Amino acid sequence: MIFLTGATDGLGRGLADRFAQAGEQLILHGRDRDKLDSTADEVSAKHGVDRPLTVLADLADLAQVRDLAAQVRQLTDRLDVFVSNAGIGSGLPDKRTRQTSHDGFELRFAVNYLAGFLLTLELVPLLKAAAPARIVNVASLGQHPLDFDDLMIEHGYNGTRAYGQSKLAQIMSGFELAQRLPAEDVTVNSLHPSTYMPTKMVLAEIGHQVDSLESGVDATYRLAADESLIGSTGKFFDRTREARANPQAYDASARAELWQRSLDLVGHAEPLV
């Protein structure tokens, strides 16, 4: 069973097609019921497979994230792959100004990072039940060091900094979780799928594409399915090439601080992973 967040647009939509084409059973997440239902119907009709299961949640609300995990647990007792893909960009179609989530956190940090962090912790038992399983975090080369004295960027805010911080946080927590989970049970890797793919948020903010959507789908699908990557964990990839993330990602004390701060922010006890 494959669980994919942000499945109704862009990269997530392309991945839904790729997994269905490979005959995988899918759980698709979205935040708009009509788009989610039409996506599931289209994937089923296009590939002649059973209709993917669907789960609905707004990742800007941690209560809905917890409910999302509960929905997934009701649908399956195991997950072979979790692709944490949902997110918002540095500007349009969302606002360029500082916004806060339902819980009062800086919005990009909340949606792009904290939601996936909490969801991952909630789903680890399902992943371990399917060992060897995989977690794939869709991150970015656009990374910005975290300022632990101003984690919610209340000073000097701009969308690019906020986006870059949220993506580096994804990578850092992925590295940290990879050290806590035996690679034979669950691997955890992050990637920059491609540069300026023609997704809704890229076209709204940048106005043009650089790489194709298919290249991003290929790179992400590889981390989820390539047999040569069995047991490979705690890595960051630029498309299909292993790469170096921002230096802060390799600072063990910074990763430990982010891990503890994240547990506190989402109200989760230290997991026995």
Side-chain angles (χ1 to χ4, degrees):
M1 183 70 77
I2 313 294
F3 175 40
L4 173 62
T5 61
T8 61
D9 287 299
L11 179 65
R13 181 66 175 81
L15 284 168
D17 279 325
R18 180 63 58 84
F19 283 122
Q21 187 177 30
E24 300 287 357
Q25 292 181 297
L26 292 171
I27 301 174
L28 304 181
H29 156 263
R31 61 176 176 172
D32 180 291
R33 171 53 68 188
D34 290 341
K35 289 180 67 175
L36 186 57
D37 285 343
S38 64
T39 296
D41 290 341
E42 290 166 9
V43 168
S44 177
K46 180 177 180 179
H47 301 286
V49 297
D50 290 341
R51 187 180 187 274
L53 303 173
T54 60
V55 286
L56 186 73
D58 182 349
L59 300 189
D61 183 343
L62 291 177
Q64 292 193 41
V65 175
R66 292 187 183 88
D67 181 67
L68 176 58
Q71 291 179 59
V72 174
R73 288 192 294 267
Q74 289 175 351
L75 293 174
T76 185
D77 59 1
R78 56 177 284 150
L79 279 179
D80 299 282
V81 178
F82 169 38
V83 182
S84 185
N85 165 71
I88 55 179
S90 60
L92 300 177
D94 299 283
K95 297 177 181 178
R96 295 190 177 103
T97 55
R98 186 181 187 277
Q99 304 161 77
T100 56
S101 70
H102 176 83
D103 306 280
F105 304 134
E106 191 279 312
L107 186 63
R108 289 175 172 88
F109 192 75
V111 173
N112 295 353
Y113 170 61
L114 285 177
F117 174 81
L118 175 57
L119 191 54
T120 299
L121 295 185
E122 292 278 325
L123 296 178
V124 161
L126 296 185
L127 290 154
K128 292 177 72 174
R134 304 187 190 192
I135 297 168
V136 179
N137 291 320
V138 177
S140 175
L141 285 174
Q143 301 159 28
H144 192 287
L146 283 65
D147 178 355
F148 288 105
D149 293 326
D150 188 19
L151 200 54
M152 297 303 157
I153 318 182
E154 296 179 274
H155 309 283
Y157 183 88
N158 68 68
T160 300
R161 175 187 171 191
Y163 177 81
Q165 172 182 264
S166 70
K167 290 300 175 178
L168 180 56
Q170 275 187 298
I171 297 165
M172 291 171 67
S173 69
F175 285 178
E176 191 70 13
L177 184 58
Q179 293 187 342
R180 296 162 180 261
L181 288 169
E184 61 268 24
D185 290 345
V186 185
T187 59
V188 188
N189 293 295
S190 305
L191 85 158
H192 169 77
S194 277
T195 298
Y196 294 156
M197 297 174 291
T199 62
K200 180 175 63 177
M201 67 184 189
V202 166
L203 294 178
E205 178 66 11
I206 308 300
H208 67 275
Q209 73 181 82
V210 173
D211 291 331
S212 68
L213 184 65
E214 290 72 21
S215 66
V217 170
D218 288 346
T220 309
Y221 182 77
R222 171 180 172 269
L223 284 189
D226 193 324
E227 291 190 0
S228 71
L229 294 174
I230 291 174
S232 180
T233 194
K235 296 180 179 180
F236 172 67
F237 293 84
D238 177 358
R239 302 168 178 88
T240 59
R241 177 181 61 85
E242 188 175 348
R244 294 284 292 180
N246 183 279
Q248 193 178 43
Y250 305 96
D251 181 337
S253 62
R255 291 199 311 270
E257 180 163 0
L258 174 63
W259 183 266
Q260 188 56 57
R261 292 280 292 273
S262 302
L263 290 174
D264 294 342
L265 288 169
V266 303
H268 200 292
E270 178 68 42
L272 299 174
V273 296

